[in-house]
Amino acid sequence: MRELTQPAAEEIKLAEIFHALADPVRLQIVAQLADKGRDSCSAVGESIDVHRTTMSHHYRVLRESGVTWTEVEGRTRFVSLRRDDLNERFPGLLDAVLAACTDRGSVTRLPLPQGVPVAGQ
């Protein structure tokens, strides 16, 4: 098995975090991890209606951006938020993102900015 790519805390970049958090599925993963803490990738993905290979892609983006940390134990991958590392580099960022998602009621239906055309309207 190849080694997982995970940046050191000092290598985490804000632009990569924003890219990782720009996708509603990845926001949903982050919100679930904030509630559960460390969990297996398969357990987190059970409630998200996305194909397994697509979920693997989302986990990779989150891991490589420094938002999550993945540990392999046997054949199972456990994922957790890198809350301490993120708070050290960008104080309050993760909490602000999670609060914004909660305030809107759902991370799967984030509102579009004003002026963005919506199909069918």
Side-chain angles (χ1 to χ4, degrees):
M1 180 188 310
R2 69 178 187 183
E3 190 172 322
L4 300 176
T5 304
Q6 303 185 102
E10 62 275 4
E11 296 172 347
I12 297 173
K13 295 178 175 67
L14 189 58
E16 291 178 15
I17 292 171
F18 284 145
H19 168 74
L21 297 176
D23 185 277
V25 171
R26 292 193 288 266
L27 274 176
Q28 191 172 7
I29 292 168
V30 168
Q32 286 186 23
L33 289 173
D35 289 340
K36 294 182 178 184
R38 181 179 184 257
D39 209 348
S40 70
C41 290
S42 59
V44 173
E46 285 177 351
S47 64
I48 301 173
D49 188 26
V50 176
H51 194 274
R52 276 182 34 187
T53 56
T54 304
M55 282 300 292
S56 293
H57 165 75
H58 289 305
Y59 285 127
R60 181 179 54 80
V61 171
L62 288 167
R63 184 185 70 245
E64 290 179 353
S65 70
V67 174
T68 61
W69 185 263
T70 303
E71 297 173 282
V72 179
E73 294 180 13
R75 296 178 60 185
T76 305
R77 291 181 182 213
F78 290 93
V79 64
S80 58
L81 291 178
R82 293 180 67 174
R83 188 177 289 277
D84 291 341
D85 291 338
L86 292 171
N87 281 333
E88 183 178 315
R89 293 276 293 152
F90 310 105
L93 175 65
L94 185 59
D95 291 331
V97 168
L98 290 168
C101 292
T102 303
D103 290 346
R104 288 178 173 80
S106 173
V107 295
T108 59
R109 293 193 48 107
L110 296 176
L112 293 171
Q114 270 189 325
V116 175
V118 177
Q121 290 186 357

